[in-house]
mmCIF file of all heavy atoms in Angstrom:
data_model
loop_
_atom_site.group_PDB
_atom_site.id
_atom_site.type_symbol
_atom_site.label_atom_id
_atom_site.label_comp_id
_atom_site.label_asym_id
_atom_site.label_seq_id
_atom_site.Cartn_x
_atom_site.Cartn_y
_atom_site.Cartn_z
ATOM 1 N N ARG A 19 16.838 4.312 -7.341
ATOM 2 C CA ARG A 19 17.316 5.511 -8.249
ATOM 3 C C ARG A 19 17.810 6.581 -7.271
ATOM 4 O O ARG A 19 17.534 6.752 -6.098
ATOM 5 C CB ARG A 19 16.097 5.946 -9.027
ATOM 6 C CG ARG A 19 15.839 5.100 -10.152
ATOM 7 C CD ARG A 19 14.630 5.570 -10.996
ATOM 8 N NE ARG A 19 13.432 5.273 -10.281
ATOM 9 C CZ ARG A 19 12.201 5.488 -10.642
ATOM 10 N NH1 ARG A 19 12.032 6.173 -11.790
ATOM 11 N NH2 ARG A 19 11.133 5.235 -9.968
ATOM 12 N N SER A 20 18.639 7.426 -7.844
ATOM 13 C CA SER A 20 19.275 8.521 -7.247
ATOM 14 C C SER A 20 18.227 9.725 -7.177
ATOM 15 O O SER A 20 17.379 9.857 -8.097
ATOM 16 C CB SER A 20 20.475 9.046 -7.914
ATOM 17 O OG SER A 20 20.986 10.266 -7.413
ATOM 18 N N THR A 21 18.285 10.573 -6.121
ATOM 19 C CA THR A 21 17.507 11.822 -6.221
ATOM 20 C C THR A 21 18.113 12.846 -7.024
ATOM 21 O O THR A 21 17.477 13.863 -7.379
ATOM 22 C CB THR A 21 17.324 12.431 -4.777
ATOM 23 O OG1 THR A 21 18.592 13.008 -4.417
ATOM 24 C CG2 THR A 21 16.917 11.457 -3.753
ATOM 25 N N GLU A 22 19.288 12.617 -7.426
ATOM 26 C CA GLU A 22 20.042 13.553 -8.430
ATOM 27 C C GLU A 22 19.960 14.961 -7.856
ATOM 28 O O GLU A 22 19.431 15.860 -8.409
ATOM 29 C CB GLU A 22 19.540 13.447 -9.758
ATOM 30 C CG GLU A 22 19.767 12.036 -10.463
ATOM 31 C CD GLU A 22 19.430 11.959 -11.960
ATOM 32 O OE1 GLU A 22 19.587 13.016 -12.593
ATOM 33 O OE2 GLU A 22 18.991 10.935 -12.335
ATOM 34 N N ARG A 23 20.639 15.077 -6.629
ATOM 35 C CA ARG A 23 20.713 16.367 -5.958
ATOM 36 C C ARG A 23 19.367 16.928 -5.583
ATOM 37 O O ARG A 23 19.082 18.115 -5.774
ATOM 38 C CB ARG A 23 21.567 17.337 -6.749
ATOM 39 C CG ARG A 23 23.019 16.942 -6.888
ATOM 40 C CD ARG A 23 23.857 17.945 -7.674
ATOM 41 N NE ARG A 23 25.167 17.552 -7.793
ATOM 42 C CZ ARG A 23 26.149 17.767 -6.968
ATOM 43 N NH1 ARG A 23 25.886 18.293 -5.766
ATOM 44 N NH2 ARG A 23 27.402 17.339 -7.178
ATOM 45 N N LEU A 24 18.444 16.024 -5.145
ATOM 46 C CA LEU A 24 17.091 16.331 -4.696
ATOM 47 C C LEU A 24 16.142 16.682 -5.770
ATOM 48 O O LEU A 24 14.970 16.986 -5.469
ATOM 49 C CB LEU A 24 17.125 17.447 -3.626
ATOM 50 C CG LEU A 24 18.113 17.274 -2.378
ATOM 51 C CD1 LEU A 24 17.935 18.494 -1.497
ATOM 52 C CD2 LEU A 24 17.753 16.028 -1.638
ATOM 53 N N THR A 25 16.552 16.614 -7.029
ATOM 54 C CA THR A 25 15.650 16.970 -8.117
ATOM 55 C C THR A 25 14.680 15.873 -8.433
ATOM 56 O O THR A 25 13.699 16.132 -9.170
ATOM 57 C CB THR A 25 16.408 17.453 -9.393
ATOM 58 O OG1 THR A 25 17.212 16.330 -9.771
ATOM 59 C CG2 THR A 25 17.327 18.578 -9.048
ATOM 60 N N LYS A 26 15.018 14.593 -7.972
ATOM 61 C CA LYS A 26 14.152 13.443 -8.287
ATOM 62 C C LYS A 26 13.816 12.705 -7.035
ATOM 63 O O LYS A 26 13.814 11.403 -6.977
ATOM 64 C CB LYS A 26 14.750 12.602 -9.317
ATOM 65 C CG LYS A 26 15.020 13.274 -10.717
ATOM 66 C CD LYS A 26 15.544 12.309 -11.731
ATOM 67 C CE LYS A 26 15.678 13.045 -13.069
ATOM 68 N NZ LYS A 26 16.182 12.128 -14.124
ATOM 69 N N LEU A 27 13.380 13.474 -5.976
ATOM 70 C CA LEU A 27 12.995 12.866 -4.706
ATOM 71 C C LEU A 27 11.934 11.817 -4.935
ATOM 72 O O LEU A 27 11.970 10.696 -4.289
ATOM 73 C CB LEU A 27 12.619 13.983 -3.709
ATOM 74 C CG LEU A 27 13.756 14.737 -3.058
ATOM 75 C CD1 LEU A 27 13.201 16.043 -2.398
ATOM 76 C CD2 LEU A 27 14.451 13.842 -1.957
ATOM 77 N N TYR A 28 10.904 12.085 -5.666
ATOM 78 C CA TYR A 28 9.815 11.224 -5.772
ATOM 79 C C TYR A 28 10.174 9.919 -6.477
ATOM 80 O O TYR A 28 9.551 8.906 -6.194
ATOM 81 C CB TYR A 28 8.576 11.893 -6.393
ATOM 82 C CG TYR A 28 7.889 12.855 -5.484
ATOM 83 C CD1 TYR A 28 8.122 14.202 -5.498
ATOM 84 C CD2 TYR A 28 7.040 12.330 -4.504
ATOM 85 C CE1 TYR A 28 7.476 15.089 -4.619
ATOM 86 C CE2 TYR A 28 6.419 13.232 -3.568
ATOM 87 C CZ TYR A 28 6.669 14.547 -3.676
ATOM 88 O OH TYR A 28 6.040 15.461 -2.775
ATOM 89 N N ASP A 29 11.153 10.004 -7.325
ATOM 90 C CA ASP A 29 11.541 8.766 -8.034
ATOM 91 C C ASP A 29 12.227 7.848 -7.028
ATOM 92 O O ASP A 29 11.871 6.696 -7.000
ATOM 93 C CB ASP A 29 12.548 9.125 -9.192
ATOM 94 C CG ASP A 29 11.902 9.679 -10.392
ATOM 95 O OD1 ASP A 29 10.703 9.699 -10.475
ATOM 96 O OD2 ASP A 29 12.649 10.119 -11.340
ATOM 97 N N ALA A 30 13.135 8.322 -6.241
ATOM 98 C CA ALA A 30 13.847 7.504 -5.307
ATOM 99 C C ALA A 30 12.921 7.067 -4.211
ATOM 100 O O ALA A 30 12.938 5.897 -3.776
ATOM 101 C CB ALA A 30 15.001 8.346 -4.717
ATOM 102 N N ALA A 31 12.001 8.003 -3.745
ATOM 103 C CA ALA A 31 11.062 7.654 -2.620
ATOM 104 C C ALA A 31 10.070 6.616 -3.092
ATOM 105 O O ALA A 31 9.694 5.640 -2.439
ATOM 106 C CB ALA A 31 10.372 8.876 -2.135
ATOM 107 N N GLY A 32 9.727 6.671 -4.372
ATOM 108 C CA GLY A 32 8.792 5.672 -4.996
ATOM 109 C C GLY A 32 9.467 4.339 -5.073
ATOM 110 O O GLY A 32 8.761 3.350 -4.837
ATOM 111 N N ASP A 33 10.723 4.239 -5.340
ATOM 112 C CA ASP A 33 11.454 2.970 -5.273
ATOM 113 C C ASP A 33 11.451 2.409 -3.877
ATOM 114 O O ASP A 33 11.215 1.163 -3.666
ATOM 115 C CB ASP A 33 12.922 3.136 -5.748
ATOM 116 C CG ASP A 33 13.056 3.523 -7.222
ATOM 117 O OD1 ASP A 33 12.063 3.317 -7.923
ATOM 118 O OD2 ASP A 33 14.088 3.970 -7.562
ATOM 119 N N VAL A 34 11.712 3.170 -2.800
ATOM 120 C CA VAL A 34 11.619 2.734 -1.438
ATOM 121 C C VAL A 34 10.204 2.248 -1.079
ATOM 122 O O VAL A 34 9.999 1.182 -0.574
ATOM 123 C CB VAL A 34 12.070 3.774 -0.478
ATOM 124 C CG1 VAL A 34 11.986 3.230 0.998
ATOM 125 C CG2 VAL A 34 13.592 4.209 -0.778
ATOM 126 N N ARG A 35 9.183 3.040 -1.501
ATOM 127 C CA ARG A 35 7.824 2.583 -1.246
ATOM 128 C C ARG A 35 7.506 1.241 -1.986
ATOM 129 O O ARG A 35 6.962 0.325 -1.373
ATOM 130 C CB ARG A 35 6.868 3.684 -1.793
ATOM 131 C CG ARG A 35 5.413 3.302 -1.622
ATOM 132 C CD ARG A 35 4.643 4.223 -2.661
ATOM 133 N NE ARG A 35 5.018 3.933 -4.052
ATOM 134 C CZ ARG A 35 4.994 4.863 -4.913
ATOM 135 N NH1 ARG A 35 4.663 6.156 -4.671
ATOM 136 N NH2 ARG A 35 5.403 4.539 -6.244
ATOM 137 N N ASP A 36 7.940 1.124 -3.199
ATOM 138 C CA ASP A 36 7.610 -0.051 -3.997
ATOM 139 C C ASP A 36 8.405 -1.223 -3.388
ATOM 140 O O ASP A 36 7.859 -2.392 -3.500
ATOM 141 C CB ASP A 36 7.968 0.124 -5.406
ATOM 142 C CG ASP A 36 7.039 1.119 -6.117
ATOM 143 O OD1 ASP A 36 5.964 1.452 -5.547
ATOM 144 O OD2 ASP A 36 7.407 1.662 -7.190
ATOM 145 N N LEU A 37 9.643 -1.062 -2.973
ATOM 146 C CA LEU A 37 10.296 -2.144 -2.307
ATOM 147 C C LEU A 37 9.621 -2.612 -1.081
ATOM 148 O O LEU A 37 9.469 -3.820 -0.861
ATOM 149 C CB LEU A 37 11.711 -1.577 -1.909
ATOM 150 C CG LEU A 37 12.836 -2.464 -1.209
ATOM 151 C CD1 LEU A 37 12.476 -2.575 0.278
ATOM 152 C CD2 LEU A 37 12.845 -3.827 -1.816
ATOM 153 N N ILE A 38 9.135 -1.657 -0.189
ATOM 154 C CA ILE A 38 8.323 -2.118 0.953
ATOM 155 C C ILE A 38 7.125 -2.898 0.547
ATOM 156 O O ILE A 38 6.860 -3.886 1.118
ATOM 157 C CB ILE A 38 8.044 -0.850 1.839
ATOM 158 C CG1 ILE A 38 9.250 -0.277 2.398
ATOM 159 C CG2 ILE A 38 7.068 -1.290 2.882
ATOM 160 C CD1 ILE A 38 9.019 1.123 3.046
ATOM 161 N N GLU A 39 6.463 -2.410 -0.453
ATOM 162 C CA GLU A 39 5.238 -3.131 -0.902
ATOM 163 C C GLU A 39 5.555 -4.514 -1.468
ATOM 164 O O GLU A 39 4.774 -5.426 -1.180
ATOM 165 C CB GLU A 39 4.470 -2.300 -1.944
ATOM 166 C CG GLU A 39 3.868 -1.003 -1.402
ATOM 167 C CD GLU A 39 3.199 -0.121 -2.484
ATOM 168 O OE1 GLU A 39 3.247 -0.536 -3.638
ATOM 169 O OE2 GLU A 39 2.519 0.914 -2.077
ATOM 170 N N TYR A 40 6.631 -4.673 -2.191
ATOM 171 C CA TYR A 40 7.027 -5.841 -2.677
ATOM 172 C C TYR A 40 7.378 -6.866 -1.512
ATOM 173 O O TYR A 40 6.974 -8.058 -1.532
ATOM 174 C CB TYR A 40 8.230 -5.769 -3.606
ATOM 175 C CG TYR A 40 8.649 -7.031 -4.208
ATOM 176 C CD1 TYR A 40 8.177 -7.500 -5.429
ATOM 177 C CD2 TYR A 40 9.599 -7.821 -3.568
ATOM 178 C CE1 TYR A 40 8.533 -8.661 -5.937
ATOM 179 C CE2 TYR A 40 9.941 -9.091 -4.105
ATOM 180 C CZ TYR A 40 9.520 -9.487 -5.291
ATOM 181 O OH TYR A 40 9.885 -10.743 -5.824
ATOM 182 N N VAL A 41 8.165 -6.387 -0.609
ATOM 183 C CA VAL A 41 8.542 -7.255 0.570
ATOM 184 C C VAL A 41 7.321 -7.624 1.360
ATOM 185 O O VAL A 41 7.195 -8.859 1.731
ATOM 186 C CB VAL A 41 9.577 -6.428 1.429
ATOM 187 C CG1 VAL A 41 9.672 -7.116 2.825
ATOM 188 C CG2 VAL A 41 10.939 -6.275 0.741
ATOM 189 N N ARG A 42 6.453 -6.817 1.551
ATOM 190 C CA ARG A 42 5.150 -7.194 2.337
ATOM 191 C C ARG A 42 4.312 -8.166 1.551
ATOM 192 O O ARG A 42 3.741 -9.146 2.054
ATOM 193 C CB ARG A 42 4.420 -5.941 2.738
ATOM 194 C CG ARG A 42 5.265 -5.064 3.666
ATOM 195 C CD ARG A 42 4.380 -4.021 4.318
ATOM 196 N NE ARG A 42 3.588 -4.564 5.424
ATOM 197 C CZ ARG A 42 2.326 -4.407 5.607
ATOM 198 N NH1 ARG A 42 1.606 -3.691 4.758
ATOM 199 N NH2 ARG A 42 1.682 -4.964 6.662
ATOM 200 N N ALA A 43 4.197 -7.931 0.206
ATOM 201 C CA ALA A 43 3.259 -8.761 -0.586
ATOM 202 C C ALA A 43 3.882 -10.159 -0.839
ATOM 203 O O ALA A 43 3.176 -11.117 -0.985
ATOM 204 C CB ALA A 43 3.051 -8.060 -1.984
ATOM 205 N N ASN A 44 5.262 -10.248 -0.779
ATOM 206 C CA ASN A 44 6.012 -11.493 -0.991
ATOM 207 C C ASN A 44 6.724 -11.976 0.203
ATOM 208 O O ASN A 44 7.649 -12.747 0.131
ATOM 209 C CB ASN A 44 6.901 -11.345 -2.125
ATOM 210 C CG ASN A 44 6.279 -10.968 -3.427
ATOM 211 O OD1 ASN A 44 5.854 -11.934 -4.146
ATOM 212 N ND2 ASN A 44 6.190 -9.709 -3.786
ATOM 213 N N ALA A 45 6.177 -11.606 1.369
ATOM 214 C CA ALA A 45 6.818 -11.903 2.616
ATOM 215 C C ALA A 45 7.115 -13.391 2.933
ATOM 216 O O ALA A 45 8.222 -13.869 3.327
ATOM 217 C CB ALA A 45 6.112 -11.313 3.834
ATOM 218 N N GLY A 46 6.057 -14.246 2.592
ATOM 219 C CA GLY A 46 6.263 -15.658 2.777
ATOM 220 C C GLY A 46 7.365 -16.210 2.000
ATOM 221 O O GLY A 46 8.202 -16.966 2.435
ATOM 222 N N GLU A 47 7.409 -15.866 0.696
ATOM 223 C CA GLU A 47 8.454 -16.394 -0.173
ATOM 224 C C GLU A 47 9.846 -15.901 0.186
ATOM 225 O O GLU A 47 10.849 -16.589 0.067
ATOM 226 C CB GLU A 47 8.167 -15.962 -1.584
ATOM 227 C CG GLU A 47 9.189 -16.471 -2.650
ATOM 228 C CD GLU A 47 8.871 -15.841 -4.034
ATOM 229 O OE1 GLU A 47 7.818 -15.368 -4.268
ATOM 230 O OE2 GLU A 47 9.777 -16.032 -4.968
ATOM 231 N N LEU A 48 9.914 -14.644 0.704
ATOM 232 C CA LEU A 48 11.144 -14.106 1.074
ATOM 233 C C LEU A 48 11.586 -14.433 2.571
ATOM 234 O O LEU A 48 12.741 -14.062 3.012
ATOM 235 C CB LEU A 48 11.090 -12.549 0.998
ATOM 236 C CG LEU A 48 10.844 -11.895 -0.323
ATOM 237 C CD1 LEU A 48 10.586 -10.422 -0.223
ATOM 238 C CD2 LEU A 48 12.010 -12.257 -1.285
ATOM 239 N N GLY A 49 10.751 -15.134 3.273
ATOM 240 C CA GLY A 49 11.090 -15.499 4.642
ATOM 241 C C GLY A 49 11.081 -14.367 5.604
ATOM 242 O O GLY A 49 11.963 -14.345 6.491
ATOM 243 N N ILE A 50 10.164 -13.442 5.423
ATOM 244 C CA ILE A 50 10.147 -12.258 6.156
ATOM 245 C C ILE A 50 8.723 -12.051 6.791
ATOM 246 O O ILE A 50 7.720 -12.455 6.220
ATOM 247 C CB ILE A 50 10.404 -10.956 5.240
ATOM 248 C CG1 ILE A 50 11.943 -10.933 4.972
ATOM 249 C CG2 ILE A 50 9.893 -9.685 5.873
ATOM 250 C CD1 ILE A 50 12.281 -9.916 3.880
ATOM 251 N N ASP A 51 8.706 -11.527 7.996
ATOM 252 C CA ASP A 51 7.462 -11.079 8.655
ATOM 253 C C ASP A 51 7.174 -9.716 8.228
ATOM 254 O O ASP A 51 7.833 -8.748 8.713
ATOM 255 C CB ASP A 51 7.615 -11.169 10.179
ATOM 256 C CG ASP A 51 6.347 -10.839 10.867
ATOM 257 O OD1 ASP A 51 5.413 -10.200 10.311
ATOM 258 O OD2 ASP A 51 6.199 -11.115 12.170
ATOM 259 N N GLY A 52 6.265 -9.492 7.309
ATOM 260 C CA GLY A 52 5.910 -8.264 6.722
ATOM 261 C C GLY A 52 5.358 -7.195 7.649
ATOM 262 O O GLY A 52 5.279 -6.063 7.279
ATOM 263 N N ASP A 53 4.927 -7.658 8.829
ATOM 264 C CA ASP A 53 4.427 -6.756 9.852
ATOM 265 C C ASP A 53 5.426 -6.317 10.921
ATOM 266 O O ASP A 53 5.105 -5.631 11.859
ATOM 267 C CB ASP A 53 3.151 -7.465 10.513
ATOM 268 C CG ASP A 53 1.960 -7.566 9.653
ATOM 269 O OD1 ASP A 53 1.809 -6.671 8.742
ATOM 270 O OD2 ASP A 53 1.244 -8.590 9.764
ATOM 271 N N ARG A 54 6.726 -6.757 10.699
ATOM 272 C CA ARG A 54 7.761 -6.351 11.637
ATOM 273 C C ARG A 54 9.003 -5.904 10.852
ATOM 274 O O ARG A 54 9.817 -6.711 10.508
ATOM 275 C CB ARG A 54 8.087 -7.428 12.652
ATOM 276 C CG ARG A 54 6.932 -7.746 13.590
ATOM 277 C CD ARG A 54 7.420 -8.701 14.710
ATOM 278 N NE ARG A 54 7.729 -10.083 14.202
ATOM 279 C CZ ARG A 54 8.282 -10.999 14.875
ATOM 280 N NH1 ARG A 54 8.797 -10.694 16.109
ATOM 281 N NH2 ARG A 54 8.409 -12.185 14.437
ATOM 282 N N LEU A 55 8.988 -4.620 10.441
ATOM 283 C CA LEU A 55 10.060 -4.122 9.640
ATOM 284 C C LEU A 55 10.732 -2.967 10.360
ATOM 285 O O LEU A 55 10.159 -2.190 11.107
ATOM 286 C CB LEU A 55 9.530 -3.546 8.309
ATOM 287 C CG LEU A 55 8.758 -4.574 7.454
ATOM 288 C CD1 LEU A 55 8.248 -3.837 6.172
ATOM 289 C CD2 LEU A 55 9.543 -5.790 7.105
ATOM 290 N N CYS A 56 12.003 -2.780 10.112
ATOM 291 C CA CYS A 56 12.804 -1.665 10.475
ATOM 292 C C CYS A 56 13.368 -1.011 9.295
ATOM 293 O O CYS A 56 13.785 -1.622 8.322
ATOM 294 C CB CYS A 56 13.891 -2.053 11.401
ATOM 295 S SG CYS A 56 15.151 -0.852 11.772
#
């Protein structure tokens, strides 16, 4: 989601946080080492 000129920072940041949590929780299926991220 967009921050919509910084008025929804937590919405966008929450998406990034949830993306990271999803990647780490599903790392095996995604072919990713969840402990080595950039």
Side-chain angles (χ1 to χ4, degrees):
R19 284 174 288 179
S20 172
T21 74
E22 297 188 32
R23 297 183 179 274
L24 305 181
T25 61
K26 296 184 178 181
L27 278 165
Y28 284 100
D29 285 352
D33 292 346
V34 178
R35 177 201 61 216
D36 292 343
L37 178 281
I38 293 171
E39 290 180 356
Y40 181 91
V41 166
R42 299 192 76 227
N44 297 276
E47 180 184 349
L48 296 173
I50 285 172
D51 181 344
D53 290 327
R54 290 191 290 169
L55 304 180
C56 169

